[in-house]
Amino acid sequence: MLHRLGKGAAAHPWRTLAAWLAVVLAAFATSAALGGTFHDDYDVPDAEAQVGIEQVRDHFPASAAAGSSAQVVVHDPSGAPLADDQVDALADRLRAIEHVSDVSAPRLSEDGDTALLTATYDVPVTHDDLVEEGLGALEEAIAPLHEAGLRAELGGELPTNVPEPLGGVGELVGVVVALLLLVLVFGSVVGAGLPVAVALTGLAVGSAGVTLLAATMDVSTSAPTIASMVGLGVGIDYALLLVSRHVEFLRAGHSVTEAAGRATATAGRSVLFASATVLVSLMGLRLAGLPVYSSFGFATGIAVVAVMAAALTLVPALAGLAKHRLLPRRERRGEAPRRPARPPLTARWAATVGRRPLPFALAALLFLLALAAPTLAMRTWPQDGSSNPADSTTRQAYDLVAAEFGAGANGPLTVVVDRDRVGDAGVAEAVDTVRGTDGIVAVTEPAVSPDGALAVFDAEPSFGPTDERTTGLVDELRERLPDAEVTGYLPLMSDITVMLSERIWVVIAFVVGVSVLLLAMVFRSILVPLKAAVMNLLSIGAAYGVLTAVFQWGWATDLLGLDHALPISSWVPILMFAILFGLSMDYEVFLLSRIREDWLRTGDARGSVERGLAATGRVISSAAAIMVVVFLGFASESVVVVKMLGFGMAVAIVLDATVVRMVLVPATMAMLGRWNWWLPAWLDRLLPTVQAEPADDETLWDELDALDEQTPAGAR
């Protein structure tokens, strides 16, 4: 089927291009008419804080916990006390905003030059009206203060939930650098532009698909960016693999259409299998237990499927149009090479490693373990206003509140007491208990629900939300208040952090287990899949360590556009693992397919490793370099989750393509020899046989051509 698909697309390129143009236009038209909006849903049924949130929603329908809220911080830069009429007028404008159910009394700083107001909405932050118009209405309300020379900044749940606009400069630079690398790989501008054009076309359809997904489920504000990052990277890689095989067949003397058919039948199968492994890894995100992870997995999966479909159809079509222009000009002219042929560098390096595999393997292992060591000190926390760019209004509001009211004012805790059960005496006891807890500096007066069932009050910590003492404080209060619920945004974020640190092992077990099974089916081996899984875990662990040192320890925050160190975002470790494990398997399948093909043909365990690396080393290195520059382009964005993911995945790909593929793989395979391909007979009978990339067998191609000729045109 793939052989016919490639030949057909190359033989009728304009039909294929017209079909894709129609798909792109239909996708954009449909997404514009039916697509949804992106927002973050932090309702987590398994979180302990969710119990208190639901209680407040049931008994305080107009409270911030029932709907959502926004903070407005007003500050006079001259240091003069704020005028009462200006603050009162602001409160009136806030009350006039649609869905605002209450505006708190202004909280004034000690010197009176700063006021903090909280607007409470009667709908959750995911409500369509707030997603589309909520921030704009707040900006209109504070505009008169700016005109009067005052500072007015927006913080809290609603403004933080609005996604930061993407700059796009870094991504553009990444694409340009990728083009330059492709020119070096192919020696042809046409060959360089083809993979990028294919990836961008598939990504356009994928982006429209993600917008349609948002109409059916809650999709995180960061999900489209992450889907684009992964889609662009794998799209260029898939197209690069197909174009490389197509060029190989052209050099072997095949016609353009036949080369396209063979490339799609061989490399195309690797693309299908590689995309399947990525999708399996992404589906593991559902085991994290948070709705936001499901949206990450589905959105990225849509992008991967779209670029995979584009690669399998558009590459042969464009190759059919380009004909022999994919070859360097010197080859098209039939000129002799400038220098005598010699073994590729990767083959010579593999031979060097194979002669002394143990020292190389130990050196690579120690290097990766050293990089991974900081992971033991990794501390995670969901992003908040403090992690936003210094010039954003949410960061300005966060800093103003911390400076004028104390760091804990940015993250108060809410205590919900069942008044029906404990009575007023129990409520008073709970207030005294919280007030006497170390780390609490202020407690508000309890508010009784309209039905008298609950009493609710807030407690302000002495430190900010990202402080490492936060989780301990929440746990201590819950232990000391058995008849109350400690809830609110801060405890919910603490619960999410704890949940994700526990669920990551479930995700790892699922992704590794399924991937090992798939590789065992393909390569008919036990040791090869297990070894691949261990090596992937090593490279990902090393990337975690570098991420911890750079962001949490602050070793290179300035280079990444951050003005202070910060914890690793709670969303990053699981998301990064799932994506990276799938991407690493791409390279593993491509490399091991060639090694196994050579092993089956020659029976030479060590030589097959050298020849396999020689055949794939340049393409793998080029694909990895392209993916690295694409990921680093996204690391230039201001959104912390995207920045951390882009940087972390770039580091992991560098390590995977160098230390793992060029040192650990040849060293361990040289030491294991024939044991690489050992599989018990009983397991061989149980496992279905799957070929990631069939061998280049001329008999097979002759049979396919004969079958194609015998098939009526209408049935093709």
Side-chain angles (χ1 to χ4, degrees):
M1 183 183 68
L2 290 175
H3 182 254
R4 289 182 178 176
L5 177 67
K7 285 188 70 173
H12 306 286
W14 291 113
R15 296 181 189 177
T16 307
L17 293 177
W20 264 100
L21 178 61
V23 168
V24 171
L25 293 176
F28 274 100
T30 307
S31 64
L34 304 176
T37 53
F38 306 110
H39 50 257
D40 294 297
D41 180 9
Y42 293 128
D43 278 355
V44 185
D46 294 336
E48 190 173 346
Q50 194 70 36
V51 176
I53 292 174
E54 297 298 336
Q55 288 179 336
V56 173
R57 287 175 177 171
D58 292 339
H59 297 276
F60 288 87
S63 72
S68 53
S69 64
Q71 290 180 330
V72 180
V73 190
V74 185
H75 175 72
D76 191 331
S78 68
L82 292 171
D84 291 340
D85 58 341
Q86 290 178 314
V87 178
D88 292 341
L90 171 63
D92 291 338
R93 291 194 296 272
L94 292 174
R95 291 189 187 96
I97 295 176
E98 185 179 6
H99 293 298
V100 171
S101 58
D102 184 46
V103 176
S104 67
R107 178 181 177 182
L108 296 176
S109 60
E110 292 184 1
D111 53 10
D113 66 351
T114 306
L116 174 62
L117 295 86
T118 300
T120 303
Y121 295 85
D122 58 10
V123 292
V125 73
T126 56
H127 192 277
D128 287 344
D129 289 348
L130 295 191
V131 172
E132 296 174 1
E133 302 176 3
L135 185 61
L138 290 172
E139 290 174 342
E140 289 180 10
I142 65 174
L145 298 174
H146 290 304
E147 296 172 0
L150 300 176
R151 285 183 62 188
E153 307 294 347
L154 302 174
E157 187 180 4
L158 174 59
T160 303
N161 192 65
V162 177
E164 290 282 338
L166 296 180
V169 176
E171 293 89 320
L172 181 60
V173 172
V175 171
V176 172
V177 174
L179 275 170
L180 295 177
L181 289 173
L182 288 168
V183 170
L184 294 177
V185 171
F186 291 109
S188 163
V189 175
V190 175
L194 195 153
V196 175
V198 169
L200 291 176
T201 303
L203 190 60
V205 175
S207 298
V210 174
T211 305
L212 289 172
L213 178 69
T216 63
M217 64 180 293
D218 293 329
V219 176
S220 170
T221 55
S222 300
T225 306
I226 293 169
S228 298
M229 176 170 58
V230 177
L232 184 59
V234 300
I236 294 177
D237 275 9
Y238 293 163
L240 170 62
L241 176 57
L242 283 160
V243 174
S244 298
R245 289 292 271 173
H246 178 79
V247 169
E248 285 182 25
F249 287 119
L250 283 180
R251 286 172 175 156
H254 297 288
S255 67
V256 172
T257 55
E258 179 61 22
R262 295 192 181 199
T264 310
T266 53
R269 188 177 292 204
S270 287
V271 167
L272 277 174
F273 189 82
S275 60
T277 58
V278 174
L279 292 176
V280 166
S281 296
L282 291 173
M283 291 309 103
L285 291 174
R286 290 182 58 83
L287 299 176
L290 271 70
V292 67
Y293 273 115
S294 295
S295 73
F296 281 129
F298 287 132
T300 308
I302 288 172
V304 170
V305 170
V307 297
M308 179 267 291
L312 291 177
T313 52
L314 278 179
V315 167
L318 293 174
L321 285 177
K323 299 189 183 302
H324 288 81
R325 288 192 295 275
L326 294 176
L327 296 171
R329 184 175 300 176
R330 176 176 291 273
E331 290 188 36
R332 296 200 302 269
R333 292 173 177 172
E335 298 178 9
R338 293 179 179 177
R339 61 182 66 182
R342 55 182 304 195
L345 176 62
T346 50
R348 301 198 301 272
W349 172 255
T352 301
V353 173
R355 284 192 292 269
R356 303 185 64 188
L358 184 59
F360 276 101
L362 289 176
L365 178 63
L366 291 175
F367 177 69
L368 291 176
L369 290 176
L371 290 180
T375 307
L376 299 175
M378 179 188 286
R379 186 168 63 86
T380 60
W381 187 261
Q383 69 277 11
D384 58 14
S386 66
S387 59
N388 289 339
D391 58 351
S392 66
T393 185
T394 50
R395 172 65 183 280
Q396 295 289 329
Y398 186 98
D399 291 344
L400 272 175
V401 169
E404 299 291 339
F405 302 101
N410 280 301
L413 303 92
T414 300
V415 179
V416 182
V417 185
D418 190 338
R419 186 167 173 265
D420 282 345
R421 185 171 58 184
V422 302
D424 289 335
V427 174
E429 182 181 352
V431 172
D432 291 339
T433 299
V434 175
R435 186 176 284 122
T437 302
D438 290 339
I440 297 296
V441 296
V443 177
T444 63
E445 289 298 319
V448 179
S449 62
D451 59 6
L454 299 181
V456 177
F457 61 91
D458 290 337
E460 186 176 305
S462 60
F463 42 80
T466 60
D467 193 281
E468 59 186 5
R469 294 169 287 180
T470 295
T471 300
L473 176 62
V474 172
D475 292 341
E476 181 182 356
L477 287 174
R478 285 173 173 166
E479 191 175 316
R480 300 183 66 181
L481 299 170
D483 296 323
E485 298 292 339
V486 179
T487 186
Y489 182 77
L490 186 67
L492 180 61
M493 294 298 103
S494 177
D495 290 344
I496 288 175
T497 298
V498 173
M499 286 175 58
L500 293 181
S501 65
E502 296 171 349
R503 296 284 179 88
I504 189 172
W505 302 109
V506 179
V507 176
I508 289 174
F510 170 80
V511 172
V512 172
V514 175
S515 298
V516 167
L517 180 61
L518 289 174
L519 287 181
M521 291 163 50
V522 173
F523 297 114
R524 320 309 295 174
S525 166
I526 289 180
L527 293 179
V528 163
L530 292 176
K531 180 168 57 66
V534 170
M535 290 179 183
N536 285 349
L537 291 173
L538 282 172
S539 62
I540 295 172
Y544 281 166
V546 174
L547 202 67
T548 302
V550 167
F551 288 93
Q552 184 176 313
W553 295 354
W555 284 11
T557 48
D558 292 344
L559 296 177
L560 292 169
L562 297 173
D563 59 350
H564 67 292
L566 67 164
I568 304 303
S569 172
S570 298
W571 317 118
V572 167
I574 291 181
L575 193 58
M576 186 171 153
F577 173 83
I579 295 173
L580 280 175
F581 205 88
L583 296 181
S584 297
M585 283 300 177
D586 287 1
Y587 299 140
E588 192 77 17
V589 168
F590 186 38
L591 172 60
L592 292 180
S593 294
R594 291 298 186 91
I595 294 176
R596 178 171 171 76
E597 177 185 327
D598 191 277
W599 152 256
L600 292 175
R601 187 176 67 251
T602 65
D604 180 3
R606 179 173 295 184
S608 64
V609 176
E610 297 175 13
R611 289 185 288 272
L613 271 176
T616 62
R618 187 181 184 190
V619 176
I620 289 180
S621 300
S622 302
I626 289 167
M627 197 170 286
V628 167
V629 298
V630 169
F631 288 164
L632 287 178
F634 281 89
S636 66
E637 290 295 344
S638 60
V639 181
V640 171
V641 173
V642 177
K643 184 184 293 291
M644 288 184 177
L645 273 174
F647 179 79
M649 292 199 296
V651 171
I653 294 298
V654 168
L655 294 174
D656 188 78
T658 55
V659 180
V660 172
R661 301 288 162 242
M662 301 302 293
V663 181
L664 275 179
V665 168
T668 54
M669 295 193 79
M671 287 189 290
L672 291 172
R674 293 177 175 268
W675 286 101
N676 283 301
W677 311 110
W678 173 73
L679 184 69
W682 62 269
L683 186 57
D684 191 23
R685 289 192 297 270
L686 288 177
L687 289 176
T689 301
V690 177
Q691 279 186 291
E693 185 170 333
D696 186 13
D697 187 344
E698 286 299 331
T699 303
L700 170 66
W701 300 123
D702 292 341
E703 291 175 355
L704 286 174
D705 288 338
L707 181 64
D708 193 45
E709 291 174 0
Q710 295 168 8
T711 305
R716 294 180 189 177

